[in-house]
Amino acid sequence: MRVIFISLITSLLIAFAFSQSVLQKEKKYLQDYTLADKLFHKAEMLSTKKIYDEALEEKLNGQSLAAFQSILPIVKKVADDSLAFFCHLKIGIIQHYFDSIQPAKNNYLNAIALKQNLPQIKDSFLFQPLLFTARIYYSLNKFDSAYIYYKKAEKIRELYQVYLNEEQRLYNGLGAIYFETGNFKQAKNYFEKAALLLSKSDPYYKDFLIAYKINIGSSLVRLEKFKEADEVYSSLLQYKITTNEILQNVGFVNLSIGNSLKAIDFFKKIKYNNSANIILFNQLGKAYVNLAKKDSAEKYYKLALEENKKWNDTRKNNAHGTTYQYIADKFIAEKNYVNGIDNYQKAVLQFYPDYYETDIYKNPTIFSGVFSYINLFNTLAAKADAFEKLYGQDKKQASLDAALNAYRSAFLLADYVEKTYDSDEARLFLNKIKYRVHDRPIHISLQLYEITKNNHYLEEAYNFDQQNKASVLSLNVQESSIKSQTVTDAGLFEKETSIKSNITRLSLKARQINDSNQLEKIKAETRDNEIELGKLQDKINELPGYKVKKYANAIPTIADLQKLLNKKTAILSYHLSENELVILCISSNDISYTKQAIDSTFFSTVKSFKASLNFIKSGQKYDGDAVSLQLYNATIKPIFNKLEHIENLLIIPDDELNSLPFEALNDENGNYLFEKFSVQYQYSTALLRNNINDKTFNTALAMAPFASRGNEEFTQLIFTKKEIENLKGDILLDSAATKNNFIAKATKSGIIHLATHTIVNDTFPEKSLIAFYPFTNLATNENNLYAQEIYNLKLTGTKLVVLSACETGNGQLSKGEGLMSLARAFTYAGCPNIIASLWKADDKSTAWIMQRYYHYYYNNISAASSLQKAKLDYINSPEIEKKYKSPNYWAHLVLTGIPEKEVSSYGWLWVICISSFLIPLCYLFVKRKKRIYDNSIML
């Protein structure tokens, strides 16, 4: 018993001694952590001192790193995950300081992984490891991974109302990602936000400010705002900090505007001792190519390759891609197409890190993630052009096919990029880049069709043609349609609309302010709203099913398109380049095309015809017949033999043809086109996917604010009351025709008819407006409805909008996108059918035509046929004087929309015939049954 007792006491003493040892060790590692942490913060504080001791900072960081690394195994052994999180984070930060990038990244990732199971640690502590991981991935040119971690850090930022340490680096980093992907406007927003968050008490304030302003200037250069960029760079030279970077950017501005000698002067003043030499040598080589100094260019390209080997080895990066791209350009200029193509392929591999195919005949076809979109597009397009030039030498079909394949890849990329961008401004800028090569793939497709007679190439020509037409508008309409079907997440869409409305409100307000301080505040608020909109759209893109539908191909195949057309309807799609006009004709059972050479005379003829139509003066004779015939011979006659059984034309114009009223073209006999065909227009076949056949007539909204009086700004429109009096619904005249009433009723109306005045701004299309009552003080009148505001309306339930006002169908021409008109704004808002005016119209003739239009439209005649019949009635009416029957007075009204299925008058005859047969038959049947019933009673 005594032995057992002694043994028990001994065990307890051993256990106590062990526990004391553990406690002492635990106390020891906690003490060691505290000491390491003090060293860490002491090193951190050195940077805030007036006299900066870099050697001491390095020494303290080294001691701190060693201490944390010795503690970490003990911390892991005792399973103190909270302390392990902070150890990994601080080890990562110090390793990052010493440029030990890979170990730093691993420690950040370990900290991030530990935090997932540590709810007791605030989420704000996760901000730094996410941010620094993103920065490392960016430095490694892994933009996709960088973007993911930046966005995770941004989500943490949104959880807090207060400033988070290093927050400005988040905005600068995201700005850099947007810059790399070509979304330069959003990049500029983020760079400006980063600069705004800098604290003037920060000892590195000037360094960061200059770096961020250089980034702002770079965005302006890419947006082709060279003067603004030059002003930014010039303002920075006074600081005499980071002079190399400033000089290089000033040089790049000069290189971009074609001043290569001046660019070289700036470049030669720069001395780098880092990887920035690669970009510098690229730009020097490019400048010497522009000056036709081949040897000097080769020297600098060789130096760029050597620098890349030194700093990046085999790691893919954009600067290296640019070197190969420039070398390829030099080979092409020398007509050495094979070597040029080989170097373009090497550039492709650098610009798209996930692509590894070295075969020059192959190109990427599936795109995902974040990479250098614009550089890749330009390289693929240049490669395609090189193959086309090679075909000129070797006459091999394989070379022409290779050119088409490269263009196909480039345009697939453009489609992908458009859907990743979060603003129309970014999408329109991409369109400008795409437009520079837009005609080549169509030309090559038709060339291959003529060689092979393979219909596949006709389909290719059609696809490229439609990809070059109103892609931004089509995408927005497609997105709106998807959102209207996604009711479970309506809150996100409502918030999106609210932010867009805020941006519009601020933009309109900015136009009315002259005070520079107030203007800066509005610009800052606008920028913040645009950043918030981008974040929200990221969330929308991640909705289940939304992204899949959004990224689906919106352009119908020819086979699908033909199913939408009845036997009497044909599509004429025009493609216009500087020296060629292509017309694609698609009917329900056929596709054909014509192409013809044109020159500047064609464009001057179009201009002359528009001028003759736009001029209306009492007693002035219409003089457009001759030029009208010339245009008829160029645009209709070549394809006329394919229209033998056609009654309805759906015209998809291109560029300068967008404001041409085709129905007013006359043949050699003086007959107008609309006398044979009903004519309507469309921006792209992508907008024909959702065919609308139903019409709602009991919700019309008609407004005429100038029916009874006008003012100095706008004249009275006497006939507008008569124009809308036969509509079925709300008819609001004069003081009732207010903007507020329009906003309140428009989204609930099946038909909207606005008989009013407009002002079209060709320079700034978003400033174009529709006038409502009251109409005083035009410049600041809040009762004006601006184009920007129309974009934010939800008119998916509206079947028809009639803009019976001057020039509502006209506006600034955006190449490849069409006219930025008020009519386009209503299409953007979701209405499929718009009647608008191409020029300043005559009030009386417009009212006459619209009255007849509604007479037909309310009798189940399609919108296109109703407009045709109304115009025919007008020119054939004995009550209209002959001098008012020229196209000036009736051709301004054009319909853009979707073909409707029309109830044929013969259908009603069949109903009458069948009814006349069935009614007597039913009578006999009932009478016979009655007889049988009577007989059964008698039995």
Side-chain angles (χ1 to χ4, degrees):
M1 188 73 178
R2 185 180 176 188
V3 173
I4 294 171
F5 178 74
I6 292 170
S7 177
L8 180 61
I9 293 296
T10 303
S11 297
L12 288 171
L13 288 170
I14 292 170
F16 177 76
F18 178 77
S19 65
Q20 287 296 106
S21 173
V22 170
L23 286 169
Q24 286 176 359
K25 285 183 179 178
E26 183 175 339
K27 190 176 181 181
K28 179 72 168 60
Y29 85 74
L30 287 172
Q31 288 174 344
D32 289 345
Y33 176 85
T34 303
L35 179 61
D37 197 45
K38 282 182 179 179
L39 290 168
F40 176 84
H41 286 294
K42 194 173 180 180
E44 198 174 42
M45 290 301 293
L46 278 177
S47 62
T48 65
K49 303 292 183 184
K50 287 185 178 179
I51 301 175
Y52 171 55
D53 190 336
E54 186 177 357
L56 180 58
E57 182 184 34
E58 189 171 325
K59 179 182 175 182
L60 290 170
N61 272 323
Q63 291 173 346
S64 178
L65 177 61
F68 280 127
Q69 286 176 327
S70 66
I71 296 162
L72 187 58
I74 300 168
V75 172
K76 287 183 177 179
K77 191 172 182 179
V78 298
D80 190 340
D81 287 349
S82 295
L83 211 56
F85 166 80
F86 288 107
C87 281
H88 278 299
L89 172 57
K90 289 170 184 178
I91 289 171
I93 290 171
I94 300 169
Q95 287 172 330
H96 207 160
Y97 167 83
F98 284 115
D99 286 329
S100 298
I101 301 300
Q102 194 61 42
K105 185 189 75 172
N106 292 338
N107 276 288
Y108 291 145
L109 292 174
N110 285 331
I112 292 165
L114 283 167
K115 173 62 183 74
Q116 308 309 314
N117 298 313
L118 296 170
Q120 68 272 25
I121 295 178
K122 289 182 179 179
D123 287 333
S124 57
F125 285 107
L126 195 54
F127 180 73
Q128 279 193 328
L130 289 170
L131 176 61
F132 296 155
T133 302
R135 288 179 61 202
I136 288 175
Y137 276 124
Y138 182 84
S139 70
L140 296 172
N141 293 290
K142 295 184 177 180
F143 303 133
D144 203 8
S145 298
Y147 180 76
I148 290 168
Y149 282 96
Y150 275 130
K151 280 297 177 180
K152 287 181 178 180
E154 191 176 44
K155 286 181 180 177
I156 297 295
R157 169 68 196 89
E158 289 175 0
L159 299 174
Y160 297 90
Q161 297 296 318
V162 296
Y163 170 83
L164 296 182
N165 191 29
E166 308 276 4
E167 184 180 329
Q168 74 278 0
R169 294 194 179 201
L170 167 67
Y171 289 102
N172 185 61
L174 279 167
I177 292 290
Y178 284 118
F179 185 90
E180 293 292 349
T181 59
N183 192 345
F184 303 119
K185 173 66 187 301
Q186 191 69 311
K188 179 173 171 283
N189 283 335
Y190 273 86
F191 291 144
E192 287 176 345
K193 183 75 172 177
L196 189 69
L197 289 171
L198 286 172
S199 171
K200 291 185 179 180
S201 62
D202 189 322
Y204 297 109
Y205 170 76
K206 283 185 180 178
D207 300 80
F208 282 122
L209 180 66
I210 291 169
Y212 295 165
K213 285 203 169 185
I214 287 173
N215 291 343
I216 292 167
S218 298
S219 300
L220 289 167
V221 171
R222 299 296 182 174
L223 290 166
E224 299 177 6
K225 297 181 178 181
F226 301 115
K227 186 178 178 182
E228 290 179 47
D230 193 50
E231 288 172 359
V232 170
Y233 296 138
S234 298
S235 71
L236 297 178
L237 287 170
Q238 61 178 308
Y239 293 106
K240 297 181 180 179
I241 303 173
T242 60
T243 306
N244 282 337
E245 288 80 1
I246 297 169
L247 288 171
Q248 184 171 353
N249 281 283
V250 174
F252 186 67
V253 169
N254 283 281
L255 184 63
S256 300
I257 61 177
N259 197 341
S260 296
L261 276 174
K262 194 172 181 181
I264 290 170
D265 286 341
F266 283 106
F267 293 149
K268 287 292 184 71
K269 296 174 184 176
I270 299 166
K271 301 294 179 186
Y272 282 128
N273 189 28
N274 55 39
S275 61
N277 269 327
I278 306 168
I279 300 172
L280 174 62
F281 293 151
N282 282 339
Q283 292 172 350
L284 274 163
K286 183 71 171 176
Y288 279 115
V289 165
N290 293 346
L291 296 171
K293 294 186 177 182
K294 176 184 172 184
D295 291 342
S296 296
E298 286 179 351
K299 167 191 166 183
Y300 282 106
Y301 291 148
K302 185 179 179 182
L303 285 171
L305 292 171
E306 290 171 359
E307 286 291 304
N308 185 73
K309 182 69 176 174
K310 176 181 175 181
W311 298 102
N312 295 311
D313 195 20
T314 59
R315 189 174 69 215
K316 292 185 176 186
N317 64 90
N318 288 339
H320 195 38
T322 301
T323 307
Y324 283 129
Q325 184 184 17
Y326 286 175
I327 290 172
D329 291 344
K330 184 182 72 68
F331 277 125
I332 299 304
E334 297 164 358
K335 298 186 179 179
N336 187 342
Y337 302 126
V338 174
N339 280 339
I341 292 165
D342 182 60
N343 278 279
Y344 283 135
Q345 191 70 11
K346 290 176 182 177
V348 167
L349 299 180
Q350 297 298 316
F351 292 138
Y352 191 13
D354 291 336
Y355 190 67
Y356 296 93
E357 184 56 69
T358 58
D359 186 343
I360 62 171
Y361 289 94
K362 293 184 179 177
N363 307 286
T365 55
I366 298 174
F367 301 96
S368 63
V370 178
F371 51 90
S372 188
Y373 301 147
I374 304 299
N375 284 332
L376 180 59
F377 178 88
N378 287 334
T379 302
L380 287 167
K383 178 185 168 185
D385 183 62
F387 266 119
E388 188 180 4
K389 287 183 168 74
L390 180 61
Y391 172 76
Q393 280 186 349
D394 64 19
K395 300 302 178 185
K396 293 179 181 178
Q397 185 188 326
S399 297
L400 211 52
D401 271 315
L404 190 62
N405 286 335
Y407 276 126
R408 190 182 300 114
S409 176
F411 278 78
L412 283 171
L413 171 64
D415 182 62
Y416 168 77
V417 175
E418 263 186 349
K419 290 167 181 174
T420 64
Y421 283 171
D422 52 22
S423 74
D424 282 356
E425 191 167 358
R427 289 166 175 172
L428 287 169
F429 184 78
L430 174 66
N431 260 7
K432 283 175 66 178
I433 295 169
K434 187 172 70 172
Y435 185 82
R436 292 165 189 165
V437 297
H438 79 296
D439 60 308
R440 300 316 305 157
I442 297 172
H443 178 83
I444 293 170
S445 296
L446 295 177
Q447 198 173 355
L448 282 164
Y449 173 76
E450 287 161 5
I451 293 169
T452 66
K453 299 303 177 185
N454 186 334
N455 282 337
H456 161 73
Y457 292 115
L458 273 185
E459 183 94 35
E460 291 274 21
Y462 156 77
N463 269 306
F464 281 117
D465 176 47
Q466 296 309 308
Q467 285 180 72
N468 286 305
K469 290 196 171 122
S471 58
V472 174
L473 174 62
S474 301
L475 178 56
N476 276 287
V477 172
Q478 180 188 357
E479 287 176 346
S480 295
S481 176
I482 298 169
K483 288 169 187 174
S484 68
Q485 298 165 25
T486 315
V487 292
T488 53
D489 297 281
L492 281 178
F493 304 137
E494 288 171 6
K495 189 175 179 182
E496 181 189 34
T497 301
S498 175
I499 295 175
K500 285 182 176 180
S501 297
N502 282 341
I503 293 170
T504 299
R505 175 183 56 79
L506 290 165
S507 177
L508 296 174
K509 188 177 180 182
R511 296 188 198 123
Q512 302 168 15
I513 292 176
N514 295 319
D515 183 84
S516 58
N517 291 328
Q518 288 186 29
L519 197 58
E520 282 304 313
K521 287 180 181 179
I522 290 173
K523 285 181 179 179
E525 194 176 345
T526 302
R527 179 196 60 236
D528 290 346
N529 272 277
E530 287 174 344
I531 289 172
E532 286 305 309
L533 181 62
K535 293 178 189 176
L536 184 64
Q537 288 171 334
D538 284 339
K539 293 178 183 177
I540 290 171
N541 280 332
E542 296 307 316
L543 292 175
Y546 177 80
K547 195 169 186 177
V548 174
K549 292 177 182 176
K550 176 181 173 178
Y551 279 79
N553 185 18
I555 299 172
T557 64
I558 290 174
D560 287 341
L561 196 59
Q562 288 175 327
K563 291 175 186 175
L564 297 174
L565 301 176
N566 60 44
K567 292 180 180 180
K568 295 181 179 180
T569 301
I571 294 174
L572 297 183
S573 185
Y574 291 82
H575 183 81
L576 195 59
S577 66
E578 286 185 9
N579 51 25
E580 189 175 66
L581 175 64
V582 174
I583 311 170
L584 290 170
C585 179
I586 304 169
S587 63
S588 61
N589 58 4
D590 187 34
I591 175 170
S592 57
Y593 75 95
T594 67
K595 62 178 183 177
Q596 57 191 301
I598 58 171
D599 56 25
S600 59
T601 306
F602 176 84
F603 295 95
S604 61
T605 304
V606 172
K607 191 175 180 180
S608 296
F609 184 52
K610 291 177 185 177
S612 68
L613 290 167
N614 276 264
F615 189 74
I616 295 181
K617 187 176 180 181
S618 180
Q620 182 75 34
K621 187 178 179 182
Y622 169 68
D623 62 353
D625 288 334
V627 287
S628 175
L629 177 59
Q630 290 177 44
L631 290 175
Y632 177 89
N633 289 336
T635 61
I636 299 297
K637 193 172 182 179
I639 206 77
F640 192 80
N641 64 326
K642 295 292 182 179
L643 307 177
E644 186 178 354
H645 301 294
I646 298 299
E647 295 178 2
N648 314 300
L649 294 180
L650 177 65
I651 292 175
I652 304 176
D654 191 30
D655 290 346
E656 283 79 3
L657 297 179
N658 272 283
S659 56
L660 182 72
F662 281 75
E663 49 265 80
L665 300 179
N666 57 262
D667 61 18
E668 60 276 9
N669 297 316
N671 298 316
Y672 296 115
L673 189 68
F674 88 101
E675 294 182 79
K676 180 172 176 57
F677 306 101
S678 74
V679 179
Q680 70 183 110
Y681 303 85
Q682 190 51 271
Y683 300 98
S684 163
T685 58
L687 291 164
L688 299 177
R689 275 208 174 271
N690 298 317
N691 203 345
I692 296 177
N693 300 314
D694 63 313
K695 290 183 281 194
T696 305
F697 301 116
N698 59 348
T699 57
L701 170 64
M703 306 184 81
F706 299 92
S708 300
R709 69 184 182 91
N711 66 354
E712 291 180 2
E713 300 279 2
F714 299 119
T715 59
Q716 180 184 354
L717 298 174
I718 301 170
F719 296 95
T720 52
K721 180 179 179 181
K722 192 173 183 182
E723 178 178 328
I724 62 176
E725 64 185 6
N726 293 328
L727 269 77
K728 301 172 183 177
D730 290 328
I731 297 178
L732 305 180
L733 304 174
D734 301 321
S735 60
T738 65
K739 176 181 173 180
N740 287 339
N741 279 339
F742 172 79
I743 297 295
K745 295 174 180 289
T747 55
K748 303 169 187 175
S749 303
I751 299 173
I752 296 172
H753 187 118
L754 301 178
T756 180
H757 282 292
T758 61
I759 292 181
V760 175
N761 190 318
D762 288 343
T763 307
F764 301 103
E766 68 278 7
K767 294 183 182 180
S768 297
L769 63 89
I770 297 173
F772 287 89
Y773 180 93
F775 32 88
T776 56
N777 194 9
L778 180 62
T780 59
N781 189 358
E782 293 183 357
N783 295 290
N784 299 328
L785 180 69
Y786 289 89
Q788 274 182 293
E789 296 176 286
I790 298 169
Y791 287 130
N792 297 330
L793 296 174
K794 301 298 179 188
L795 299 178
T796 51
T798 303
K799 303 300 183 292
L800 173 68
V801 168
V802 177
L803 301 174
S804 179
C806 299
E807 299 184 287
T808 49
N810 217 336
Q812 183 190 68
L813 176 62
S814 175
K815 296 282 190 177
E817 188 63 23
L819 294 171
M820 310 305 279
S821 64
L822 288 163
R824 180 185 184 274
F826 278 99
T827 302
Y828 189 109
C831 181
N833 299 302
I834 319 287
I835 292 177
S837 174
L838 291 176
W839 58 84
K840 291 181 179 179
D842 175 68
D843 179 26
K844 186 176 181 180
S845 61
T846 301
W848 200 101
I849 292 169
M850 289 314 303
Q851 275 198 312
R852 295 303 297 161
Y853 170 82
Y854 284 117
H855 165 76
Y856 292 112
Y857 191 64
Y858 277 126
N859 280 282
N860 282 332
I861 306 296
S862 72
S865 294
S866 294
L867 192 56
Q868 178 196 24
K869 291 176 183 296
K871 288 179 179 179
L872 285 170
D873 287 353
Y874 179 84
I875 65 170
N876 292 322
S877 172
E879 64 184 75
I880 307 294
E881 290 184 57
K882 186 178 180 180
K883 64 181 180 180
Y884 296 120
K885 292 185 178 183
S886 65
N888 311 68
Y889 292 90
W890 52 261
H892 61 289
L893 292 171
V894 294
L895 168 68
T896 300
I898 296 172
E900 299 169 83
K901 290 180 180 177
E902 192 169 322
V903 179
S904 169
S905 57
Y906 293 106
W908 291 106
L909 288 174
W910 277 105
V911 171
I912 293 168
C913 292
I914 292 169
S915 299
S916 63
F917 172 74
L918 286 177
I919 290 170
L921 189 64
C922 289
Y923 172 77
L924 291 172
F925 177 75
V926 171
K927 190 172 181 180
R928 181 173 179 273
K929 283 203 68 168
K930 186 175 186 302
R931 193 179 298 127
I932 293 169
Y933 178 75
D934 290 343
N935 288 341
S936 65
I937 297 291
M938 289 174 68
L939 290 171

